[in-house]
Amino acid sequence: MFDQTDIQRLFLKNNYIKDQWENLLLDSGIQKKQIEDFQHLDQTLGIYHKEKLVGTVSYQNNVIKYIAVSEKYKDGGHTFNVLVSAIIQAMSQQEIFHYIVFTKPRYQKSFNFLGFETIVSTPKIAVLEMGDSSIKQYLERIPKVNGEKKAAIVMNANPFTEGHYYLVKQAANNNDWVYVFVLEKEQNLFSTKDRLKLVQQGLQKLKNVIVLSGGEYIISPATFPTYFLREDDEIAKEQMVVDATLFKERIATYLDISARYVGEEPLSPMTRSYNDILETILPPEIKVHVLARKKTEQHQVISASQVRKAYLAGQLEKIKYMVPETTYQYLKNKRER
């Protein structure tokens, strides 16, 4: 029977330790593809029995990952409980007090027993949380408004463009209220704070639009990490289903949202797959509107990636017709600084 004194920190730069760790994860049913981001882990813990690694757990940011226990040492869940308690203690020492975990639905009850609350569950993935914040608290901070027709738009806005404005304007013209959720993820060029501010400034004339941060519950590194890797594979598709289901069952239900607007995606296979998942998961309760992308007078599709490319090249004259004046002035000032 193991306890906290049996916990050791694992240093995965050591190839011998890494091979043991990886073999344990593979034996536990974790896919090789999922293990490839081990270099980004903040800390990994393990339990040994006679020099054999029999249990492990890791964390990255505030997400608990890679929990595995050898079949012989599952002992009614005791080793599992010791590992989870140890990683929570390690995270708390780094002043992390909100814990999120992805797991298979059959392990939900094990985490519920430890005090985790289920955020969302799909046939393949369950997402749970515990700590000093929750989806309930996040939702309670969002203003609820009266109106028969409420829509939602989720955007990265990296940065906010005329294409984003066009999408929101169409939704605002056809609904009583529109919630615009801006992804909460620090980007290389534009911070979350700046992106949120640019969206607020760009939409301030639309009086039936509410701009919010997506927090940890809408396409975030916690609940949809592969979105930011831009990989279109089976793991990403499973996370898309989680994100769409979470939006439908928790966020849209709470806010009485009946429509979601997205731009069509001719360039990114990842975003195109995500739109397809939304069209599969959200109806009939939530209608998905896919709008053609806004173009410049030169018939060029407006995209944030094109804006970033021109900005980095110092070609501000190319940007002027792709972004609102508020975004242009921000980019101009930022470039001058």
Side-chain angles (χ1 to χ4, degrees):
M1 191 76 77
F2 301 109
D3 58 32
Q4 295 291 329
T5 61
D6 296 301
I7 296 290
Q8 298 183 37
R9 184 165 182 181
L10 304 184
F11 295 93
L12 300 180
K13 289 184 178 180
N14 181 305
N15 287 332
Y16 176 75
I17 294 173
K18 176 181 170 292
D19 288 344
Q20 275 197 313
W21 173 79
E22 188 171 292
N23 289 333
L24 177 57
L25 295 184
L26 292 172
D27 289 344
S28 300
I30 296 174
Q31 298 176 36
K32 177 82 171 176
K33 177 76 173 174
Q34 294 174 286
I35 304 172
E36 290 176 355
D37 71 342
F38 76 93
Q39 293 179 332
H40 301 293
L41 297 174
D42 293 310
Q43 194 172 140
T44 297
L45 305 178
I47 293 177
Y48 283 87
H49 180 68
K50 296 181 179 179
E51 299 186 359
K52 178 179 174 61
L53 184 66
V54 298
T56 186
V57 63
S58 305
Y59 82 86
Q60 181 181 342
N61 299 323
N62 70 327
V63 180
I64 299 172
K65 309 177 79 170
Y66 303 139
I67 304 171
V69 179
S70 293
E71 196 67 36
K72 184 179 176 182
Y73 299 93
K74 289 194 172 176
D75 56 18
H78 176 76
T79 303
F80 170 89
N81 294 346
V82 169
L83 285 165
V84 175
S85 297
I87 204 70
I88 287 175
Q89 182 178 353
M91 295 167 77
S92 299
Q93 289 172 351
Q94 299 302 315
E95 298 188 348
I96 300 170
F97 302 108
H98 180 223
Y99 320 107
I100 290 178
V101 64
F102 280 74
T103 188
K104 295 178 181 178
R106 66 175 181 267
Y107 299 130
Q108 267 183 265
K109 288 186 179 179
S110 298
F111 283 99
N112 291 149
F113 178 78
L114 292 173
F116 282 80
E117 296 286 336
T118 301
I119 300 173
V120 65
S121 183
T122 71
K124 292 186 177 181
I125 298 176
V127 185
L128 302 94
E129 68 179 348
M130 184 175 75
D132 61 1
S133 62
S134 68
I135 189 169
K136 184 173 182 291
Q137 293 171 326
Y138 170 75
L139 291 171
E140 288 174 348
R141 291 195 295 269
I142 299 176
K144 296 186 80 171
V145 289
N146 295 321
E148 291 185 8
K149 297 174 67 178
K150 300 175 196 172
I153 295 173
V154 175
M155 62 176 64
N156 197 9
N158 188 34
F160 185 70
T161 69
E162 288 286 1
H164 294 115
Y165 179 82
Y166 172 78
L167 187 65
V168 179
K169 184 74 184 311
Q170 297 307 305
N173 287 343
N174 292 286
N175 293 274
D176 298 314
W177 288 96
V178 179
Y179 288 98
V180 176
F181 297 94
V182 181
L183 303 193
E184 190 170 301
K185 167 71 166 70
E186 294 305 328
Q187 311 286 336
N188 289 335
L189 285 177
F190 313 116
S191 69
T192 297
K193 180 180 177 182
D194 284 355
R195 288 185 295 107
L196 185 63
K197 185 176 180 181
L198 287 175
V199 177
Q200 291 170 334
Q201 291 175 340
L203 297 174
Q204 60 186 343
K205 292 181 180 179
L206 302 180
K207 301 306 180 185
N208 62 334
V209 172
I210 299 170
V211 179
L212 306 155
S213 167
E216 291 189 288
Y217 304 103
I218 299 180
I219 312 184
S220 78
T223 59
F224 191 174
T226 55
Y227 176 85
F228 301 96
L229 301 177
R230 312 308 290 174
E231 293 182 3
D232 185 27
D233 56 22
E234 288 307 308
I235 295 172
K237 286 182 171 62
E238 289 176 12
Q239 293 178 6
M240 292 175 196
V241 171
V242 168
D243 181 81
T245 304
L246 192 160
F247 176 82
K248 178 178 182 176
E249 294 183 354
R250 304 300 300 269
I251 296 168
T253 298
Y254 181 82
L255 296 172
D256 297 321
I257 291 169
S258 58
R260 180 148 167 188
Y261 286 71
V262 299
E264 68 175 1
E265 187 44 72
L267 303 175
S268 167
M270 171 77 170
T271 306
R272 190 159 57 243
S273 293
Y274 180 60
N275 286 351
D276 291 342
I277 294 291
L278 291 178
E279 291 187 275
T280 301
I281 300 291
L282 299 188
E285 294 86 353
I286 302 168
K287 183 174 176 57
V288 180
H289 299 270
V290 183
L291 303 188
R293 296 284 288 268
K294 176 78 170 174
K295 295 182 179 180
T296 65
E297 293 180 359
Q298 292 75 34
H299 307 291
Q300 178 185 2
V301 171
I302 296 174
S303 72
S305 61
Q306 291 295 326
V307 173
R308 292 194 302 273
K309 184 177 179 180
Y311 171 80
L312 288 171
Q315 298 170 332
L316 295 184
E317 69 282 356
K318 288 187 177 181
I319 293 173
K320 194 156 191 176
Y321 303 102
M322 292 192 285
V323 300
E325 180 63 22
T326 48
T327 299
Y328 179 75
Q329 288 302 323
Y330 164 83
L331 295 174
K332 184 170 178 289
N333 293 337
K334 183 178 177 70
R335 186 77 194 181
E336 289 172 355
R337 289 199 302 271

